[in-house]
């Protein structure tokens, strides 16, 4: 199935790159070559940067390499490019929806944890200003929800 999936957070250096990295890893293992993944941030501050070193380290500890990813800002054209746009928290969701041009744009945008906890509107907490354990927690949340995402769309 051809599908393009975009993960979005605030800076595109912690949550959305690991969400992309975990999903990419699982899709490759399933040999699902027609599914494209990418990630973006609602702010431009970290454009061009590799993922936060703490997130890269946590990823590697869990067997996933995200060192090749580079941050970019979400742009309106992403509504044309992608079929599904997953926000990490309600603030990201609101910021993306503000840029939507029509109902078709809006219906592509979802909170990622609603894949595993439907309609609960749970959030992936921002680990940026906290300690190492916050990064592992984010990894575990996204590992679980991407398993469910795959079941929901590719089963
Ligand atoms: P992310 O985390 O949205 O998961 O990439 C953050 C990264 C950078 C900042 C905030 C959150 N920042 O304020 O620079």
């Amino acid at each position: 199935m051809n599908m393009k999936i975009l993960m979005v957070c605030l800076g595109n250096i912690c949550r959305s790159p690991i969400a992309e990295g975990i999903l990419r890893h699982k899709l490759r293992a399933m040999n699902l070559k027609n599914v494209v993944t990418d990630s973006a941030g609602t702010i431009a501050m970290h454009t061009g940067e590799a993922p936060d070193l703490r997130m890269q380290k946590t990823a590697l500890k869990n067997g996933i390499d995200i060192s090749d990813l580079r941050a970019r800002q979400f742009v309106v054209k992403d509504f044309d490019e992608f079929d599904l746009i997953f926000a990490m928290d309600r603030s990201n969701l609101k910021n993306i929806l503000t840029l939507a041009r029509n109902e078709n744009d809006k219906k592509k945008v979802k909170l990622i944890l609603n894949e595993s906890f439907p309609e609960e509107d749970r959030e992936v907490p921002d680990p940026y200003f906290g300690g190492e354990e916050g990064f592992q927690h984010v990894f575990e949340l996204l590992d679980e929800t991407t398993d469910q995402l795959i079941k929901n769309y590719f089963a």
Side-chain angles (χ1 to χ4, degrees):
M1 189 201 307
N2 282 309
M3 175 92 95
K4 294 179 90 173
I5 300 176
L6 183 67
M7 303 294 187
V8 181
C9 63
L10 178 63
N12 193 208
I13 54 169
C14 298
R15 293 166 293 175
S16 60
I18 194 59
E20 177 189 358
I22 295 170
L23 182 63
R24 176 176 74 174
H25 181 83
K26 290 174 181 176
L27 293 171
R28 281 178 181 165
M30 294 171 76
N31 213 18
L32 281 174
K33 290 182 177 141
N34 296 328
V35 184
V36 170
T37 59
D38 195 9
S39 63
T42 59
I43 59 171
M45 189 191 297
H46 298 283
T47 295
E49 291 178 22
D52 187 295
L53 287 174
R54 297 166 295 175
M55 198 75 255
Q56 288 196 45
K57 214 172 116 190
T58 301
L60 273 185
K61 224 185 271 174
N62 291 278
I64 292 178
D65 185 357
I66 56 168
S67 61
D68 61 307
L69 301 180
R70 294 295 177 269
R72 70 169 179 90
Q73 188 172 26
F74 179 86
V75 290
V76 172
K77 196 169 169 288
D78 287 320
F79 289 115
D80 301 322
E81 277 298 309
F82 292 90
D83 303 295
L84 287 169
I85 299 168
F86 287 108
M88 299 297 123
D89 65 29
R90 293 190 289 268
S91 163
N92 309 147
L93 180 77
K94 183 166 158 263
N95 289 328
I96 300 164
L97 289 176
T98 300
L99 297 171
R101 301 156 298 184
N102 51 49
E103 284 307 309
N104 193 49
D105 287 356
K106 284 183 190 166
K107 75 180 187 216
K108 295 181 175 187
V109 191
K110 298 160 190 304
L111 275 173
I112 193 160
L113 291 186
N114 279 354
E115 294 302 310
S116 38
F117 303 99
E119 293 173 48
E120 292 189 21
D121 292 350
R122 294 195 195 189
E123 304 187 291
V124 181
D126 185 347
Y128 190 68
F129 296 104
E132 292 281 335
E133 68 290 349
F135 287 82
Q136 182 61 30
H137 179 57
V138 164
F139 185 93
E140 286 167 14
L141 282 174
L142 290 169
D143 191 24
E144 184 186 13
T145 210
T146 50
D147 274 347
Q148 194 58 47
L149 186 162
I150 287 170
K151 282 187 192 141
N152 294 346
Y153 291 96
F154 305 107

